[in-house]
Amino acid sequence: MRYTFDCDRWGSSFSVPSKVVEKYIKLSEGDFVKVLLCILCSPDRECDSAKLAEKSGLPENTVIDAVTHWVSLGVITAERSDTAKPAQVKAVSTPVSEPEIKAEPVSKVEAVAPKRQSVSNKLCIRYKNSEILEKQQKDPNLAHLFDELQTVLQGTINRTEQGELLALYEYFHFDVASILLAAEYCVSLEKRSVAYLVTVMRGWYEQDICTYPQIEQEIIRLSDIKKYENKVLKIFGQTAKPSKQQLEMIEKWRTMGFTAEMLEIAYNKCVDNTNKLSYKYIDAILSNWAGKSISTPEQVTHEDEKHRTNTKKPQNTDKDADKQTSYDLDDFENFAMNFDLSKTGKL
């Protein structure tokens, strides 16, 4: 469908560098584009975050994220005023340089070290089919990635999914080996979709987990957590998926260093006393043991014996006291049968 626009009816206008549209629109959120338009519309091309927030109708934090985004792409430059508040940023537009994002051979790609507050996780990056095909033909590593992933995930990867994977490789700078390793991890969780893989890897990117060794260590850590969770659920006989609160308790017990044997002892004590599974009750038991540095079954047995000894009622061994609190029924019956009230002198 073709469109015709009557631009003159609006009066004055301002220019937007064509390269911004050609190269960066697909990398940018709508709110970020709104902020850039407000910057370009400013007469002196200089403004602070508070004014941009007022003009765009967006929160100031979003404005600052947008400025950071456009600065990172080289579309504008920004500097903080010495007299301004920390949140105020002055942004001045500059000529747009050639795009800095390039697909490099995997052997030369170095993982970036992004900040935790990076706005990259908000980006929705899209590629044209022709772009994907061209990049795949020029970069054998990319073609290898697509082929291997189809084998690992046991499914065909469509063009949209190829674009998402291309973003991981080209924009987020994950190498082929790292993406394949992450894919194998996702398959171990019975997750075979590209969407799940992309979500996991973007999450790692935001946690500064970007290189192959870092990803490998994170997978080992997550696998250990999963194995521990499975042991707990097996001991508890729990078939339902644990809740978020239950998972937090399980991780707490793992961090405390409690073995499966200790968890089973705590579970049995819980059932003996409550006739049901109670995570809070078990957590109280384990927290009590942790406070007393009890970490073995032998220490639990010793603590139980000590508790029984302390709570056992003391026995009275005083013979005189025993006489005062005890009665010989035979003597009492003989006394009652021979008692003569008239001899007491009291009627």
Side-chain angles (χ1 to χ4, degrees):
M1 183 179 294
R2 300 183 63 184
Y3 298 92
T4 301
F5 300 99
D6 182 8
C7 299
D8 296 335
R9 60 183 299 215
W10 294 102
S12 62
S13 62
F14 62 93
S15 63
V16 177
S18 59
K19 288 184 179 180
V20 171
V21 179
E22 295 170 359
K23 302 295 183 182
Y24 299 128
I25 285 297
K26 65 183 177 184
L27 302 178
S28 309
E29 283 190 356
D31 287 345
F32 292 179
V33 175
K34 288 174 65 175
V35 172
L36 179 63
L37 292 176
C38 290
I39 294 172
L40 297 178
C41 183
S42 301
D44 53 2
R45 296 292 178 88
E46 184 173 325
C47 47
D48 59 39
S49 57
K51 292 179 180 178
L52 286 173
E54 181 180 358
K55 181 179 291 187
S56 65
L58 299 171
E60 192 167 353
N61 288 339
T62 302
V63 169
I64 295 175
D65 285 346
V67 171
T68 303
H69 169 72
W70 292 115
V71 169
S72 69
L73 295 178
V75 176
I76 62 173
T77 59
E79 59 181 12
R80 293 183 181 275
S81 172
D82 295 335
T83 60
K85 296 180 181 179
Q88 293 178 319
V89 179
K90 290 186 176 181
V92 185
S93 62
T94 58
V96 180
S97 59
E98 289 297 320
E100 299 177 358
I101 303 172
K102 297 180 180 180
E104 303 177 34
V106 65
S107 59
K108 295 182 179 180
V109 173
E110 294 182 358
V112 297
K115 295 182 179 180
R116 184 174 295 275
Q117 298 298 326
S118 171
V119 298
S120 60
N121 64 329
K122 302 176 183 178
L123 299 179
C124 182
I125 306 171
R126 294 185 176 88
Y127 295 89
K128 296 178 181 178
N129 290 343
S130 57
E131 289 180 301
I132 297 174
L133 182 59
E134 181 182 358
K135 292 177 183 292
Q136 188 175 352
Q137 291 173 343
K138 290 182 178 180
D139 188 350
N141 291 305
L142 190 59
H144 173 70
L145 172 63
F146 292 160
D147 290 340
E148 287 296 315
L149 272 178
Q150 290 185 131
T151 302
V152 173
L153 300 178
Q154 297 181 359
T156 303
I157 300 174
N158 59 41
R159 287 298 186 190
T160 300
E161 292 170 334
Q162 286 181 351
E164 293 175 336
L165 293 169
L166 177 57
L168 289 180
Y169 175 72
E170 188 177 62
Y171 184 81
F172 295 99
H173 287 193
F174 285 109
D175 59 33
V176 170
S178 296
I179 298 174
L180 291 175
L181 178 62
E184 291 174 355
Y185 168 69
C186 292
V187 170
S188 72
L189 301 177
E190 299 183 354
K191 304 290 186 180
R192 299 180 181 274
S193 70
V194 172
Y196 187 86
L197 170 63
V198 171
T199 300
V200 169
M201 298 203 75
R202 284 196 176 200
W204 286 344
Y205 181 92
E206 291 302 319
Q207 298 175 61
D208 296 347
I209 301 172
C210 304
T211 65
Y212 186 93
Q214 289 174 332
I215 292 173
E216 189 175 39
Q217 288 302 313
E218 179 65 6
I219 290 175
I220 292 173
R221 187 186 73 85
L222 294 173
S223 298
D224 288 343
I225 291 175
K226 192 64 178 178
K227 289 178 182 177
Y228 192 86
E229 289 175 3
N230 291 336
K231 287 181 180 179
V232 172
L233 298 180
K234 184 177 180 180
I235 291 171
F236 291 178
Q238 182 175 343
T239 57
K241 183 178 179 180
S243 66
K244 180 180 179 181
Q245 185 180 33
Q246 289 174 340
L247 289 175
E248 290 174 352
M249 289 186 188
I250 292 174
E251 176 59 14
K252 174 184 174 182
W253 305 336
R254 189 186 73 88
T255 304
M256 287 178 174
F258 285 111
T259 63
E261 191 175 14
M262 292 294 287
L263 290 171
E264 187 171 5
I265 295 173
Y267 168 74
N268 290 332
K269 285 180 175 292
C270 170
V271 174
D272 289 342
N273 290 305
T274 66
N275 292 320
K276 64 179 181 179
L277 169 63
S278 171
Y279 271 76
K280 291 183 178 179
Y281 194 97
I282 294 173
D283 183 62
I285 293 174
L286 295 175
S287 296
N288 180 53
W289 287 348
K292 296 179 179 179
S293 299
I294 297 174
S295 58
T296 66
E298 293 76 17
Q299 289 175 320
V300 173
T301 301
H302 176 74
E303 180 68 14
D304 289 347
E305 289 291 340
K306 181 180 177 182
H307 178 72
R308 279 193 291 268
T309 301
N310 292 337
T311 57
K312 192 174 181 181
K313 293 183 179 179
Q315 295 181 352
N316 194 338
T317 58
D318 189 344
K319 293 182 179 181
D320 292 336
D322 184 61
K323 290 181 180 179
Q324 293 175 2
T325 57
S326 302
Y327 299 95
D328 189 322
L329 294 180
D330 293 336
D331 290 342
F332 182 77
E333 184 178 1
N334 184 54
F335 167 78
M337 292 177 64
N338 296 292
F339 178 71
D340 187 353
L341 184 60
S342 63
K343 292 182 179 181
T344 62
K346 297 181 180 179
L347 297 176

